[in-house]
Every structure is written in structure tokens, then in C-alpha cells.
Amino acid sequence: MEVTRKNYKDCLNTVYSAIEEADFLAIDGEFSGISDGPNASALTNGLDTPEERYTKLKKHSMDFLLFQFGLCTFKYDQTKSKYITKTFNFYIFPKPFNRTSPDIKFICQSSSIDFLASQGFDFNKVFCHGIPYLNQEEEAQLREQTEERRNQHANGVGTPSYISPSSSKGPAHIPEEHKDFINRVVEKVEALFANSEKTLDLEPCTGFQRKLIYQTLNWKFPKGLHVETIETEKKERYIQISKVDEEERKRREQQKLEKEQEELNDAVGFSRVIHAISKSGKLVVGHNMLLDVMHTIHQFYCPLPELLHFVMVFSFLFPLRLLDTKLMASTQPFKELITYTSLAELEKQLKESPFKPPQVETAEGFLSYNTAQEQLHEAGYDAYITGLCFISMANYLGSFLTPPKAYISARSKLIEPFFNKDHVLYVTFPKEWKTSDLYQLFSAFGKT
Amino acid sequence: MEVTRKNYKDCLNTVYSAIEEADFLAIDGEFSGISDGPNASALTNGLDTPEERYTKLKKHSMDFLLFQFGLCTFKYDQTKSKYITKTFNFYIFPKPFNRTSPDIKFICQSSSIDFLASQGFDFNKVFCHGIPYLNQEEEAQLREQTEERRNQHANGVGTPSYISPSSSKGPAHIPEEHKDFINRVVEKVEALFANSEKTLDLEPCTGFQRKLIYQTLNWKFPKGLHVETIETEKKERYIQISKVDEEERKRREQQKLEKEQEELNDAVGFSRVIHAISKSGKLVVGHNMLLDVMHTIHQFYCPLPELLHFVMVFSFLFPLRLLDTKLMASTQPFKELITYTSLAELEKQLKESPFKPPQVETAEGFLSYNTAQEQLHEAGYDAYITGLCFISMANYLGSFLTPPKAYISARSKLIEPFFNKDHVLYVTFPKEWKTSDLYQLFSAFGKT
């Protein structure tokens, strides 16, 4: 399922329930580039220590944009002895929320863009219809601002949100050249009170003129009016004045708060999907997933911390289980059987003996992929075949049991040795540490 | 006319002749962003000195990409008393020429991208089908490499370009694990000599294996073979071996050189259009054009120098005339008549008295624009209406003549006071300097 800003809100519940019902999730990201320094192969040099790898990626990869996020959910159907899959292909873009919100800059690397273009990537879906997002700090700031306005209003402190803060200071000082304009507005409002119309739309005017109108009307007509700035599709702003009684005024204020709340949720946007994945505690499978995980944290949670803190933030966000299929394929008993560990090659090898092609079926209403017609480098497809690789390898482990089992669940103890729980970087915490230690450390970090 | 990588070569002669026949040209650029530092309005603060403005733009704007270039040519038709216009809308993208060419990184600014998206900008045309380009240094390097290979071959020094430089050093050292593979290739080539086939396609193999094949075949079969690496659409590389006599070998070598030359011209790509504009010496009109000119020089000529050198590079590239319609509209006698100088506002005001709407007609085979249905922020359209603004203002100057003239040519002396020849930054050289001084200085700069 393709998900953009257009259908995002309608899809959200479908996404949530797919995550909720799944046995495991597979993810993949596409980026606007890989490295703004050393070339990509030097950046992921196999000889680096995990610390070096993390530090290099943090320095040279985080200014690119994760602009397509693939999520494939796998739910095992006992009666069919098959996994039922739901694939989502999200397009992501940091569309500024309003004129004061951060104006994100990101780098594009021509070779990466050219490569995606050659694979049929649709850039218009990203740049014209990408789903916005906020990291946790941006979200907190926005919620705080909204909350403050509400409290001020509820306590009668300050002014209602639709009236400028300086509105109650008495008659506004109106510069000579605007006096005619403001007098005409006042005449129109007096006419509004005298006639049977309910609302009056003024002509579009400048921000300064709007401020003068707010100040003047609030002073001249302290009751019985609702004044609001409305933006047209052409981004022109005009003032709408309505005659209202107290009840109507409250109703409108309530409406406005609800609208604000909805806009806030819209602004958090795609981050809500990531929060749902994180909260689900489900096994998350990826292929060579360090960069995907780093971008996910950087873009939807917080700027990347130093390595030690990263491992903690990471454990906090994905408290249960994470598994890298490239790493799994390079580990016993697979290491001896698998020659190439690139995603496309791995998927091919895992269809052949001694492995068995995984039994999967696309859920109704979802687009199905055909692995014979490769759609590599579409994030949804890559997530899908990453999941297939995991299933084949997991089931292969069942052949060692007595009697052998053809299906091994994502919750099986057999899978656990392959988890990257505390060691997405192949770093393991001292065994004597407990999860509670991690949480304690993490919360200390959160305060600094 | 929309011009992308797909139709670029077919359009080039049309572009050249449109420039050649024109009375003046109008240009406009669209960028992936404006500022990676201060916000756009601070960057173009009217209070800055020209030096400050240039330095700020150089520091904060040049990492964005000029990705759409509008060119509108205006040719006056005496019999119709009308300008005939040809508009070109070029999509530009630094697609890497080959695997060793520079991998350009550029910044995108979300607010700019979002704004262009809201205007219906087609990002796929840029990223999937944009015309490549090279600056002068990159072009020179590429030409030098090609030239060197040719000379080596012509003088019998070194080896033909299709054989690896280390090929003539005697039998290659073949590592144990590749011996079987190479022996099989040699057997196949011996069979080729014995049978009636003309060519033999080997299986795709690694770069190292290809090197071993080149070395072995060159040593074992010094004559009668043409060996070439061919890349499939899937980017797999394989070796093709052909039986050839000396004449055929030379013909193939010649073909290869011609193909190289064509690829080189393709790589220079859009820069050739800029070279043609520069060489034409025609009046070039733009609206608020400093950023367009800076990006044009930076992207298609050379990294921007310090201010003094910039003025010289600039004079060198646009030796005749450059005119900024925003600047013209802010100068007497227009200053008193024109309230707003944004392009859209200016175009509207210049249709009304005391100005006259310009008489223009779209050349046959070109898409015509309707100024009533604004297509602002498409570079071709913006270039078109910039040209219209210039015509209206130029013709207005004719009303001061006795008797008044309704049409003032782009070559008229009346226009000259508005040229930005040496002062695109509103900087004027000391009057006693002559053009020859500039050229001398410039050529000195060119050597350092």
C-alpha cells in the first residue's frame, strides 16, 4: 500500500492494527544519499570497529533524508500454514508545519538519486505528497505552545488565541496612511451589526493592517464579534468577522482548539507510525539495518547521541527484539551455506535447497509483490523480501530439531541467538547489567 | 518547450538558432533552496552593500542546485510589429558521467521544495530526466584524458585504449583459484579461431577476472583479436572477443574515438547552452538576477571567486549587456510609476496605462503562455514575463522622443543607461578603466 500525505490519515488505523496483529515486522529505508565524505564502501568498511562505523555514519550520513520507509507486517495463519503479509510504502517529507516551524535542509547525493531514478523511484510522491514528521523535541515544543494557549484561555489570563496579545491595551495607534482604511473597516462592521448578515469577509490585506483591525475591533466592539484570519488556497490572508452570542463564541473557540489538536497530530505525522512500531515490542527485522535504525532515531526521535548513549536510546526505543538478516546470514549455521549476503542474492539463495521458499500470502486489499519481477530498492518491497529471508532462515533452524519442524515462530527460543537486542552495533553490554540499569542510565541522560 | 535529457540533443540546434536570431534573451532559474544560514529575507537585505550581498550569497546559497533554467528568446518581426518568442524550460541534474566522475552533493531546503511543489513543479523531470552538465575545469579534465589516450595510440606509445596498460608485460600472474577459469577462456578463444564464428561473448565476471583475461589474451594472441568490455542494461559487465583483420581493428578504434567524443559532448550537456548564450553577446534580461547569474557561473563555469574577480569573470562571460528588470523598474523614470517590483506585480502594472501591453506572438511549434493563467515559478514562464516587462519599459522610453516612438529596440541607445554591464552588483569600475584593462586583469587571474 502506497501511503502519502493524501491518504495517510485514512490509513493510520490499518497500519496500527497490522502492527498490533503481526508476529514480526520487517523494515527498510531509502535515503537521499549515503555519504557526504568518504565513498559509501569506505564508510561501511568491514574492518572498522563498531564504534568507528557508528561515528563515521553519524558524521557523514545523517544530513541525508530518509524519504521512503517500507514496513511489511507478517502474521502467521495456523489454518493456512502461511504468513499473511501487509506491505506499506511510506513517502516522507519534512513539509514545514507553519511559517515559524524549522525549515529542514537535507543533502542529496547525485549518484544515489540517479540510482533510485533508474529503479523507477517517484520523487514527486516524496516532495509533493510526502508525510511530514516531528522529532520528540519538536513535538514537545508544539504541544507546550498549544497547552499554554489553552491554559491562558481557561484561566482568563491573557486573551483568546484568536485575538492578538496586544489587543486590550486601548485604542490602537493608527498611522496616518492607514486611517482611511481602518475607518472604512469600522463602518463596515457597524453596518454588519445593523443588517441581517451573519459574517463579513474583508479584502486581503497586509499583516500590519490585520493587526490594526484586530486592535481596533477589540477596543471598539469588545463583545458580540468573532474575528478570524483566514488563508485562501492562494496563500492570501483575509479577515472574517462574525456576529456571535456568548454560546456561539465558546463553541467556536472549542472548535478552534480541536482543530489545533488535529493539526498537531498531523504535524507529528509519520513519527506516529515509528512510535507504534517501538511501542509494539514486536520483533523488527531489517537487512544491514544500522543505517536505517540510525536515520529512524535521528529523524523521528532525537539527534544521535554519542555511541554509549545511542545504545541506550536504542534499547529504550526497541525494548524487545531486533534482527539483522545480513548478520544472521553471516552467522552459523548459515555462514557455510550462503555465499552472497546482499539482499537480492540472499533472497534467491534462500529459495533453493537446503532452504525452502517461505509460504506467504498477501492480505486482501494489499498489493502483492512477485519476487520474480524484482522491485528492488522500493522500500516496501525490500522490507517484504527481508521478511521472506528471515522466515526461510528461521524455518531452516527447525530442521535441526528432533523431530524436525517446518515452521519456526518469530517468538521461538531458536531465534534468540540472532537478536541484536543490546548490540545493534555488535556491542554487548556487560552481562551483569540488567535492563533496569539501562533505564536508569537512560533517564539520567534524558535529564542532561 | 520542455527540454530534458530525453530530447536535449534533438533540441540543441533549435536552441542555438533561437539564440542566434534573437534581439534579446530573458533568463530565470529555479533552485533547490535559497539559504542554508540566515533566512532568505535577511540574505537579500536591501541595506547590505553589494560586497556584503555577494559574500552572503556566495557563502549561503551556492550549495543549492539550479535545477530548472528558463530561457525565452525574443525576435522582433518588423512586418508584424511584434516580438516572436521561443521559450525553453530546461531541467538540469548533475547525473554522474561515469563511475569515476565527481558525485555532486547539493542541499534541498524544505520550504523551497514545498513551495515549488505547491506550484506544480515536476521533480521527476529533474531527478530522472535532468540534463547533465560540467563546469570548465571538469570539461577540460575530461577532454585532456580523451586527448591523451588518442595521442598515445596515434604515436604507438602505450597501448590502445581498449587494452589495459599493464597488458604487454608478458604472461600475467594468475592466482591459483583463477587458473581453471582463465584456461577455459583460452580454450574458447582457440575454438573461436578454429570455427567460423566472428565473435565470442564471455559470461559476466569480476573486474579482476576481466583484467586477467585482457592480460592473458594480449600475451597469447597479440594479433587478430579485438577485446572489449561491454556493459549490459543491468550494469553487468562482460567481455566480447572478435576476430578482426588490421583494417577492421582500425575501423573499430576510430568508432570508439568518435563515440568517446560524443559521450564527452553529452557530458558537457547543458553547459553548452550557457556557452552559446555567453558567446552570442546578446542582451540578457533577468528579474532580480544576481542569484541566477551567480548560480550560472558557479555551476557551469567555475567556483565563485572573490568579489573583484567575480566582476571580471562576469564581464568576460557576458561581454555585452545584462539588464535587471527589477533594478530598471526601481530607476527613473519608472520608479515614480511602479509601486511593487516583484515579477508578478510588475508584469500586471506594465499592462496598464501609462504603459502598453507588449505585442508578442509565440513562434510556431512552441507552447504559448497565457499571462492570465499565471504559471509563476516555472522558469520558462518567469523568463517569458521578464522579457515582457522589459519590452513594456523599453517602449515606454520611446514616449519621451519627439515624435514619440511606440517600439524601442533592445539595441537602442535609450536602453544603455539600464545595463548592468560591469556592475551586476551595482558596482562600477573606475571610469578611467578600459575594457582592455579588465581583460588583462582577467587573463592574469586565469593563470593563477
Side-chain angles (χ1 to χ4, degrees), chain B residues 76-302:
Chain B
Y76 193 69
D77 184 323
Q78 295 283 357
T79 54
K80 290 183 172 171
S81 297
K82 271 183 180 179
Y83 275 102
I84 310 298
T85 66
K86 295 181 177 175
T87 307
F88 302 91
N89 203 30
F90 299 95
Y91 292 83
I92 320 279
F93 181 74
K95 181 181 164 69
F97 173 60
N98 59 32
R99 292 186 300 178
T100 60
S101 57
D103 187 3
I104 305 288
K105 282 111 197 165
F106 57 91
I107 307 182
C108 291
Q109 184 170 10
S110 341
S111 58
S112 300
I113 296 289
D114 186 45
F115 177 75
L116 288 173
S118 74
Q119 306 288 316
F121 191 88
D122 189 338
F123 295 95
N124 285 335
K125 283 201 180 141
V126 169
F127 295 131
C128 306
H129 309 299
I131 311 162
Y133 60 86
L134 292 179
N135 69 24
Q136 292 201 304
E137 192 183 325
E138 290 159 352
E139 181 184 344
Q141 273 177 3
L142 209 58
R143 289 202 189 277
E144 214 170 87
Q145 284 166 10
T146 311
E147 203 52 43
E148 253 174 33
R149 274 207 302 273
R150 279 185 193 202
N151 287 340
Q152 282 184 355
H153 187 49
N155 302 333
V157 181
T159 55
S161 59
Y162 54 84
I163 293 201
S164 152
S166 53
S167 59
S168 51
K169 288 179 185 162
H173 168 71
I174 296 165
E176 203 55 47
E177 65 270 31
H178 291 290
K179 281 198 170 146
D180 275 2
F181 173 77
I182 293 296
N183 286 340
R184 280 199 306 275
V185 170
V186 171
E187 279 165 22
K188 280 182 191 165
V189 174
E190 280 163 349
L192 177 69
F193 274 113
N195 68 26
S196 60
E197 297 291 324
K198 281 215 68 176
T199 65
L200 164 66
D201 290 347
L202 300 179
E203 291 288 301
C205 60
T206 68
F208 182 67
Q209 287 173 321
R210 287 199 303 276
K211 190 179 152 200
L212 294 177
I213 295 173
Y214 272 110
Q215 290 178 339
T216 306
L217 296 186
N218 196 43
W219 172 68
K220 280 206 184 257
F221 310 98
K223 282 202 169 180
L225 280 188
H226 176 86
V227 183
E228 198 171 344
T229 297
I230 294 181
E231 194 174 87
T232 66
E233 283 198 356
K234 282 182 169 179
K235 308 272 175 195
E236 283 181 333
R237 286 155 172 248
Y238 69 91
I239 280 185
Q240 186 177 69
I241 301 167
S242 317
K243 285 190 293 197
V244 288
D245 57 21
E246 190 57 12
E247 195 178 336
E248 172 72 4
R249 203 190 55 71
K250 278 189 180 157
R251 203 184 56 76
R252 291 202 180 204
E253 186 63 10
Q254 184 57 31
Q255 258 181 1
K256 197 178 162 74
L257 290 176
E258 279 162 16
K259 198 170 152 236
E260 269 178 7
Q261 187 61 41
E262 194 183 335
E263 282 172 354
L264 201 147
N265 285 338
D266 290 352
V268 178
F270 180 71
S271 305
R272 297 168 76 189
V273 172
I274 299 295
H275 300 165
I277 293 174
S278 157
K279 275 184 205 139
S280 77
K282 298 288 163 80
L283 171 64
V284 176
V285 171
H287 191 82
N288 205 9
M289 71 197 301
L290 178 57
L291 199 53
D292 302 85
V293 171
M294 286 175 72
H295 266 290
T296 299
I297 292 182
H298 174 77
Q299 213 162 295
F300 309 118
Y301 281 99
C302 55

Side-chain angles (χ1 to χ4, degrees), chain A residues 12-183:
Chain A
L12 206 50
N13 283 330
T14 312
V15 176
Y16 285 160
S17 63
I19 293 172
E20 204 42 57
E21 74 192 12
D23 288 279
F24 73 94
L25 314 172
I27 62 164
D28 182 67
E30 296 296 334
F31 317 109
S32 65
I34 300 294
S35 170
D36 64 5
N39 66 37
S41 56
L43 204 64
T44 51
N45 181 345
L47 302 173
D48 284 338
T49 64
E51 289 79 2
E52 284 167 345
R53 184 191 308 249
Y54 176 78
T55 308
K56 274 189 189 173
L57 288 175
K58 179 172 177 300
K59 184 169 175 197
H60 293 297
S61 294
M62 289 302 116
D63 289 338
F64 298 100
L65 188 70
L66 189 173
F67 57 20
Q68 194 185 46
F69 188 94
L71 168 67
C72 186
T73 67
F74 291 80
K75 180 194 177 187
Y76 193 69
D77 184 324
Q78 295 283 356
T79 55
K80 290 183 173 172
S81 297
K82 272 183 179 178
Y83 275 103
I84 310 298
T85 66
K86 296 181 178 176
T87 307
F88 302 91
N89 203 31
F90 299 94
Y91 292 83
I92 321 279
F93 181 74
K95 181 181 164 70
F97 173 60
N98 59 31
R99 293 185 300 178
T100 60
S101 57
D103 187 4
I104 305 287
K105 282 110 196 165
F106 56 91
I107 307 182
C108 291
Q109 184 170 10
S110 343
S111 58
S112 300
I113 297 289
D114 185 46
F115 177 75
L116 288 173
S118 74
Q119 306 287 316
F121 191 89
D122 189 338
F123 295 96
N124 285 336
K125 283 200 180 144
V126 169
F127 295 131
C128 305
H129 309 299
I131 310 161
Y133 60 87
L134 292 179
N135 70 24
Q136 292 201 304
E137 192 182 324
E138 291 159 352
E139 181 185 344
Q141 272 177 4
L142 209 57
R143 289 202 189 276
E144 215 170 86
Q145 284 166 10
T146 311
E147 203 53 42
E148 253 174 33
R149 274 207 301 274
R150 279 184 193 203
N151 287 340
Q152 282 184 354
H153 187 49
N155 302 334
V157 181
T159 55
S161 59
Y162 54 84
I163 293 201
S164 153
S166 53
S167 59
S168 51
K169 287 178 184 162
H173 168 71
I174 296 164
E176 203 55 47
E177 65 269 32
H178 291 290
K179 282 199 169 145
D180 275 2
F181 173 78
I182 293 296
N183 285 340

Side-chain angles (χ1 to χ4, degrees), chain B residues 338-353:
Chain B
I338 290 167
T339 324
Y340 304 108
T341 60
S342 81
L343 182 56
E345 292 295 334
L346 183 61
E347 194 264 335
K348 276 181 203 157
Q349 292 164 87
L350 289 173
K351 278 183 194 159
E352 308 292 333
S353 176

